[in-house]
Amino acid sequence: MSDPLTGRQRQVAGLVAAGLTNREVAEQLGISRDGVKYHVSEILSRLGVSSRDSVREALWGPADGEAQPNETGRTAAQPGEVDFAKHLLDAMRGSLLQRVLRIATETGVIPALRALPPARASRIAAAADIDVRYARSILSALAAHQVVDYRAATQQFRLSPPHRSLLTPERPDSFLELIDSTTPRDPDDDLLIAQIRHDQGIRLEAGMANEWANLIHILPRPAHGLAAAFSAAPQLAQSLEQGISVGEAGSGRGRLLIELARTYPHSRFSGYDLNPTAVELATADADHAGVANCEFIVADITQHPVQHNLMLAFGMLHDTPNPAKIVAAIARIIAPQGLFIATEIAASSRLERNLGLPLIEVMYDLSLMHCVPHSVASGGEGLGALWGQEATRALLEAAGLSVQIVRSESDAFHNYFIATPQAGIGPADPSGAVRRTGSGGQKGAS
Ligand SMILES: C[S@@+](CC[C@H](N)C(=O)[O-])C[C@H]1O[C@@H](n2cnc3c(N)ncnc32)[C@H](O)[C@@H]1O
């Protein structure tokens, strides 16, 4: 069955189905409110429905599980698949919620919520005697799971009386007791709880090589999503085909660059990462894949003056101790005519705008369990994976870059930030030599 919606319409429809208002959709996609209005009226007419509420059903299918196109435009393969997927996702949410409740209880956040009137994260952090970066992250996860209420106007969190009573250990019907007696303790959570209590983080080294590398397999393949960038930078695909120099900050296991190196044999790809284990593994993977135009180097991108036409930073800015410093360095690397593409989880910097987004609990949980402790370990701000598009945009603009935010149909989880010092990508360097230029194109970065 051919898809009645265009790519852009499907993006808008996905967000409308998730319950976003026109204003929120416009902000998420970086388009005007009138543009959204137009798309919504087209979507209603093309789907043959009369209200926004019907868009979700039209997209996700009726309860009888008939095959329907999903939000990426693919067709659900078999009847029953959608229902079963929902069932599995509920199970995943439930098991994550048990872990978050244990972390929140044993770090003193739930006891503080029980004891306090509605309060801000800083007050709850003080009452629990933990770092506010952790308190904010735990409270956001609890809000995403609808355990606590969040009042955006006052930025206060509150445990409602019925929730409070079921989360009071002295009561015979306490769920905390039940969870404790029925759920095996996860050693990773025990480590996190101990580190939070001691105001410490968890270093990325071990995690990067093992668990994070596994974790990212659940996210869409980044090279697919990169196609979204082609719509915002039309000459990019052609430049990559002809041959340009591409660098990636925080290349990790190197999945993205290896895939790109295979697709664009005339371009050269260099991945930089602080983590020697990740670089070693990425190098081995590149050798195994037989790509000769791709190298991985142990380096701090802020200390590495090599010039590239295109710089990438996928899912790394929020984890670093000083994202402004990284962006300033990248702005220098691509100056004066290059292009910078960063991806971050598609979310707002404001918690209240994220609540209700699909799988948002999972995102906040993973942020608490991985991103925040890793950032804290390196003295970072603990921004978390959901630091949001407003904050990311502001950071890029402060470095003198102009920014466009695009979304990919094949990657519902990320925003793609397309940033340029001026307009467009420079011509390919036929000699293959690295061009070095001055350090212009940045202002206000610290
Ligand atoms: C969350 S991982 C993302 C890895 C990869 N981009 C991905 O999407 O799978 C962030 C990576 O950035 C690296 N990193 C952080 N700060 C860095 C810096 N200043 N220079 C180079 N790499 C850095 C970390 O070592 C880590 O491997």
Side-chain angles (χ1 to χ4, degrees):
M1 185 177 75
S2 76
D3 191 341
L5 302 182
T6 65
R8 182 56 115 186
Q9 286 166 354
R10 186 152 286 282
Q11 276 181 317
V12 174
L15 294 172
V16 167
L20 270 68
T21 64
N22 282 1
R23 183 175 54 73
E24 289 165 338
V25 174
E27 275 167 16
Q28 286 262 356
L29 298 181
I31 58 179
S32 71
R33 245 191 272 182
D34 281 344
V36 176
K37 234 171 159 179
Y38 171 75
H39 283 312
V40 170
S41 72
E42 279 289 300
I43 290 163
L44 295 179
S45 130
R46 289 185 181 209
L47 293 178
V49 297
S50 57
S51 73
R52 301 169 74 89
D53 289 343
S54 314
V55 171
R56 175 186 282 268
E57 193 177 322
L59 279 190
W60 291 100
D64 67 7
E66 262 177 39
Q68 295 287 324
N70 66 21
E71 78 179 78
T72 64
R74 298 186 195 103
T75 302
Q78 295 174 46
E81 212 175 73
V82 171
D83 282 347
F84 188 51
K86 283 181 186 160
H87 181 60
L88 292 176
L89 288 173
D90 282 344
M92 192 165 88
R93 279 191 193 95
S95 90
L96 283 168
L97 173 57
Q98 288 186 322
R99 294 177 60 188
V100 169
L101 280 174
R102 178 173 271 157
I103 294 165
T105 303
E106 298 188 10
T107 54
V109 171
I110 294 274
L113 281 162
R114 277 199 307 264
L116 291 171
R120 287 177 167 228
S122 52
R123 187 162 176 210
I124 295 165
D129 195 19
I130 61 169
D131 189 308
V132 72
R133 292 170 292 183
Y134 280 126
R136 211 180 289 123
S137 179
I138 293 170
L139 289 163
S140 300
L142 290 174
H145 280 286
Q146 300 177 34
V147 173
V148 298
D149 304 321
Y150 176 64
R151 290 186 197 159
T154 54
Q155 297 180 5
Q156 288 175 323
F157 296 87
R158 173 188 89 120
L159 200 53
S160 67
H163 289 205
R164 184 178 310 193
S165 71
L166 290 177
L167 296 177
T168 298
E170 294 76 31
R171 283 176 53 115
D173 54 355
S174 163
F175 265 75
L176 295 180
E177 293 282 306
L178 201 58
I179 288 169
D180 222 33
S181 56
T182 57
T183 317
R185 297 194 71 89
D186 185 317
D188 285 349
D189 296 347
D190 284 345
L191 173 65
L192 177 60
I193 291 163
Q195 297 303 80
I196 293 176
R197 283 200 190 131
H198 293 105
D199 281 348
Q200 301 288 319
I202 298 175
R203 297 211 70 83
L204 194 57
E205 279 79 12
M208 182 63 234
N210 307 307
E211 120 225 5
W212 176 257
N214 291 334
L215 180 74
I216 59 175
H217 284 295
I218 67 167
L219 295 175
R221 287 166 66 185
H224 285 183
L226 192 62
F230 295 164
S231 62
Q235 65 286 51
L236 175 58
Q238 201 190 348
S239 299
L240 282 165
E241 263 156 33
Q242 286 174 349
I244 55 170
S245 159
V246 181
E248 185 184 9
S251 45
R253 281 293 299 263
R255 285 196 325 153
L256 171 66
L257 282 200
I258 293 170
E259 206 169 330
L260 289 176
R262 233 195 246 121
T263 314
Y264 301 106
H266 298 303
S267 285
R268 291 174 308 118
F269 298 87
S270 307
Y272 305 99
D273 203 291
L274 291 171
N275 183 338
T277 313
V279 167
E280 201 180 303
L281 292 168
T283 305
D285 286 352
D287 285 348
H288 184 71
V291 285
N293 55 334
C294 184
E295 60 178 352
F296 293 97
I297 299 162
V298 180
D300 179 341
I301 198 66
T302 63
Q303 309 293 325
H304 210 71
V306 163
Q307 210 73 25
H308 290 288
N309 306 104
L310 169 65
M311 275 304 294
L312 307 170
F314 276 30
M316 69 89 72
L317 289 176
H318 64 269
D319 276 343
T320 62
N322 190 340
K325 199 169 160 195
I326 305 261
V327 170
I330 290 175
R332 275 196 296 276
I333 288 172
I334 60 163
Q337 282 187 299
L339 183 72
F340 172 35
I341 303 176
T343 67
E344 291 290 331
I345 295 288
S348 166
S349 306
R350 291 174 55 176
L351 174 60
E352 70 274 18
R353 292 192 183 164
N354 295 334
L355 300 176
L357 288 180
L359 290 184
I360 196 66
E361 312 90 331
V362 180
M363 299 294 161
Y364 276 112
D365 295 349
L366 296 182
S367 180
L368 164 64
M369 292 166 191
H370 298 271
C371 306
V372 173
H374 293 154
S375 173
V376 169
S378 57
E381 294 171 48
L383 298 168
L386 293 110
W387 66 317
Q389 66 178 39
E390 299 90 334
T392 313
R393 179 193 278 280
L395 189 80
L396 294 167
E397 288 177 349
L401 300 169
S402 58
V403 183
Q404 222 182 319
I405 304 177
V406 295
R407 299 287 295 274
S408 163
E409 272 183 79
S410 53
D411 178 359
F413 289 102
H414 292 104
N415 278 326
Y416 287 72
F417 296 86
I418 317 292
T420 46
Q422 297 164 4
I425 189 165
D429 182 348
S431 71
V434 168
R435 264 183 316 131
R436 287 168 200 274
T437 60
S439 60
Q442 48 160 350
K443 60 180 182 228
S446 54

